[in-house]
Structures are given as structure tokens and as C-alpha cells.
Amino acid sequence: MNKNKAKTGILLVNLGTPDSTATADVRKYLREFLMDGRVIDIPLIPRWMLVNLIIAPFRAPKSAGEYRKLWTERGSPLLFHTVDLKEKLIPMLDSSQYQVEMAMRYQSPSIADGLKALNKANVKEIIVLPLFPQYASATNGSVIDRVMELAREWQIIPNIRFISNFVEHPLFLEAWAELGREMMAQGEYDRFLFSYHGLPERQIKKGSVDGYCQLGNCCANYTKKNQFCYRAQCFYTTRLITEKLNLPPEKVVTCFQSRLGKDPWIKPYTEDLIKDMADKGVKKVLVFSPAFVADCLETTVEVGEEYKEQFMDLGGEQWDLVPSLNSRDTWVKCVKDLVTKED
């Protein structure tokens, strides 16, 4: 192997997290996150007023309290699980051929720092893997947008390849199936609930091809016209994991969480399905969150604690959350395959 041969750079990018649970740090994170025009897709001035005068000041103290519930000695789980993923991936790759960096879309470590390290190493190509299985403009699209914004300032721009989604990757599905089997070995469940992060309906409509999107049964099929529809990808992910686990389809439900504001978001809402299940006498539920590859506020606190409390208050008996992929070996192998496989 020619030691002077340029390496391929790999940039793993997750969403981001506050630097600490202090209200000031949470407020800083919320401002950067929510001022992204792909996250809150309204004009700049009303977005600035909404975020800086309403959401960040009033939501930061409450969010800081929520972050304290999941913070550990290592800090934010989303951050350290992503660090662990990177550290387990590096030895699986030839160090003479690859250089791996990781970043957060918001806060630290930044995409700018990750790209700077790869640029300094004079890599011949950069492969960017946003760690979001289903494509959405607010997540994958935002990462791609930011990378291009930074790279266009360089005098020399190497090949840059983006991995836009990976819902069909066999190892991604197998990693979730392994986790599901481990949980299911402990007992029987009445329902299997797949809860994904929600998005405003208008964002789904914006990406609709030839007016295909009806925000309804059109998501029952995954085709070239809705291959980048976030809602369709979520339902598809559910179907693929359901098949892997041989779950009875009539016991499987897909829903969407984490609404913000009064505009309509994609349905069905997780809160509504919790009430519906309780009304039907469902007692034991196993919950998957396959929009997240690392445990975070939305999985550990929102799904694992808040939704559990709602379900139990309505008469439920058992609400178990399947852990996220984090740095599980099968998931690390999936990432290796994603970044080393040729187009």
C-alpha cells in the first residue's frame, strides 16, 4: 500500500445536544437548532421572533430539566453514543485508507471542525453520513446543506458523497430485530408501537413529487415517487422490521411524536394512539423508535418516561422501550458497510 496515497474521509453527523444542562446552554442549543430554516421553514424575520422571543426563552428552563433526567457522568447520551460509534468503527477500517471524524449538526463538535480536520488531511473524497435513517429536509437535508455551505469556501473541493437514507439496509434492520428479539424474549406484548419523530405536514407536501402525497394511504407503498417522503419511509421501516420479527401486522402501529406549535403535523400522533390502545384494553406495549440511532431526549424521556406515564395512567400495565442502536456491533457493521460500499 502506498503510504502517500490520499485517504477517504468519513464524517458521521448526528443532530446535536446542549453542552450542559444549564439553562443558558440549552437556550443556546435551541436557538441554533430552531433558527435553521430547514427545521422551522418560515421566513427569517418571523422565525427569528418566534425562536428568540418565544420558544427559546420560555422552553429552555423546562428543556434543561428534561435533559437533567438523562444526563450521565459521560454527559449527553446522544453525544457519547456517537463517540462510541466512531471509536468502534475506526478499528474496523484500514487506517491507511480512511480517516473518520464525527460532528453534531448543532453545537459541538461542529461540522465545521470535522470538515476542517478532513480538509487538513488532504483526503481525496469525503463521505458524509447523516445518522438519520429516514430522509427529511430538517435532518439529512440540513446536514447536506451545511456541508455544502462550508465546502464551497474551499479552494480545492474533493469529491463529496452523501448517504441520504438507509432504511432498507439489511444490517440496520437486523440490528433493530436483534434488540426486538431480546425484549420479546422477556415476555408477551399486546401491541408493538413504532414511534417516529414528527414533522409539519407542510414539509412533507413541499417534497411531494407530481402531487403524489396525500398524507394518507399513499404511504402504504414505497415507490420512486415517495422514496424521499419521510412519512412513507417511516411506514416502510415499520413494515421491514415487522417482517424481520414476524410480528402479527394487526398488532403493529406506526405513529409520530414530538409536535411543536399549532400547525398540523404528520399523523397519527403517538398521544392519540396511546389513548386508543388504552380504550381497547391493550395492557402491554413494546415501543420501537427507529428514527433515532442513539438514545436521546426523545427516546429516553419522551417515549420511555412521559408516554409510559400516560399509558399507565389510562390503565396500561407494561410499557417497554426498545433501546436505540447506540454502538451495537451490528449497527457498527452497518455503518462500515454504508461508508465503504461503492455507489
Side-chain angles (χ1 to χ4, degrees):
M1 177 67 66
N2 183 357
K3 293 183 179 181
N4 293 319
K5 187 176 180 182
K7 297 181 181 181
T8 294
I10 295 169
L11 184 63
L12 308 175
V13 187
N14 217 322
L15 185 71
T17 181
D19 291 332
S20 79
T21 60
T23 300
D25 282 339
V26 174
R27 185 181 298 114
K28 179 182 176 184
Y29 168 73
L30 289 174
R31 281 175 172 157
E32 183 181 356
F33 173 37
L34 299 175
M35 277 304 296
D36 186 338
R38 285 180 177 266
V39 174
I40 298 184
D41 54 334
I42 61 177
L44 177 60
I45 293 177
R47 182 168 75 248
W48 189 95
M49 295 176 68
L50 176 65
V51 172
N52 290 281
L53 302 181
I54 300 175
I55 299 178
F58 292 100
R59 189 173 175 182
K62 180 182 177 183
S63 293
E66 299 296 292
Y67 276 109
R68 291 185 195 108
K69 295 178 182 178
L70 79 157
W71 222 256
T72 73
E73 291 182 358
R74 294 187 66 190
S76 164
L78 184 140
L79 179 59
F80 70 70
H81 284 313
T82 309
V83 170
D84 291 347
L85 172 64
K86 172 195 168 186
E87 295 304 318
K88 290 181 75 170
L89 175 65
I90 289 173
M92 297 178 67
L93 300 172
D94 186 338
S95 61
S96 68
Q97 295 187 53
Y98 295 95
Q99 177 166 329
V100 183
E101 302 291 339
M102 61 149 283
M104 296 286 140
R105 173 61 185 88
Y106 311 104
Q107 298 297 288
S108 304
S110 69
I111 291 177
D113 288 341
L115 287 176
K116 184 178 180 181
L118 295 176
N119 192 23
K120 186 177 180 180
N122 294 313
V123 296
K124 65 180 179 181
E125 180 184 25
I126 297 174
I127 299 170
V128 181
L129 176 59
L131 294 170
F132 314 106
Q134 302 84 16
Y135 176 86
S137 173
T139 51
N140 313 58
S142 179
V143 169
I144 293 168
D145 197 7
R146 179 61 175 156
V147 169
M148 292 192 295
E149 177 188 5
L150 292 164
R152 73 185 179 204
E153 301 295 329
W154 298 351
Q155 189 65 33
I156 298 173
I157 301 177
N159 291 333
I160 301 178
R161 179 160 66 90
F162 299 98
I163 299 170
S164 293
N165 69 29
F166 46 89
V167 293
E168 295 178 284
H169 196 286
L171 291 173
F172 167 71
L173 299 170
E174 181 56 31
W176 276 110
E178 287 173 0
L179 288 161
R181 291 186 197 108
E182 290 172 8
M183 297 293 291
M184 291 162 60
Q186 301 174 30
E188 298 290 326
Y189 293 93
D190 304 322
R191 288 289 187 278
F192 302 92
L193 187 144
F194 288 74
S195 184
Y196 298 83
H197 200 288
L199 286 176
E201 289 184 350
R202 67 175 181 274
Q203 292 189 9
I204 302 295
K205 286 285 192 178
K206 281 182 179 180
S208 179
V209 176
D210 299 331
Y212 183 85
C213 177
Q214 302 300 316
L215 291 167
N217 290 333
C218 50
C219 291
N221 295 304
Y222 190 59
T223 70
K224 65 180 182 180
K225 285 197 173 184
N226 66 1
Q227 63 180 319
F228 286 108
C229 167
Y230 175 76
R231 187 173 183 270
Q233 291 170 82
C234 291
F235 277 96
Y236 188 44
T237 304
T238 297
R239 292 196 297 273
L240 293 173
I241 297 174
T242 295
E243 290 170 6
K244 275 271 186 184
L245 289 170
N246 294 313
L247 302 178
E250 67 275 10
K251 291 187 176 183
V252 176
V253 289
T254 296
C255 50
F256 301 91
Q257 64 186 77
S258 308
R259 278 182 289 166
L260 176 66
K262 297 181 179 179
D263 289 343
W265 281 44
I266 51 178
K267 301 177 183 68
Y269 300 141
T270 304
E271 297 97 320
D272 292 347
L273 283 184
I274 290 173
K275 186 177 185 303
D276 181 64
M277 289 188 299
D279 289 344
K280 292 178 178 176
V282 172
K283 297 298 183 182
K284 299 180 179 181
V285 179
L286 183 62
V287 190
F288 294 78
S289 294
F292 306 93
V293 299
D295 279 318
C296 55
L297 191 69
E298 288 81 2
T299 60
T300 305
V301 176
E302 187 174 14
V303 177
E305 296 182 13
E306 294 175 2
Y307 288 157
K308 179 178 182 177
E309 184 178 349
Q310 290 177 30
F311 182 64
M312 303 300 264
D313 285 347
L314 290 168
E317 296 176 358
Q318 189 173 349
W319 176 277
D320 293 333
L321 173 64
V322 177
S324 199
L325 304 182
N326 297 326
S327 59
R328 190 177 182 87
D329 288 347
T330 305
W331 165 230
V332 180
K333 291 175 184 175
C334 174
V335 173
K336 177 190 175 184
D337 192 63
L338 285 166
V339 299
T340 58
K341 187 167 61 178
E342 298 293 330
D343 286 337

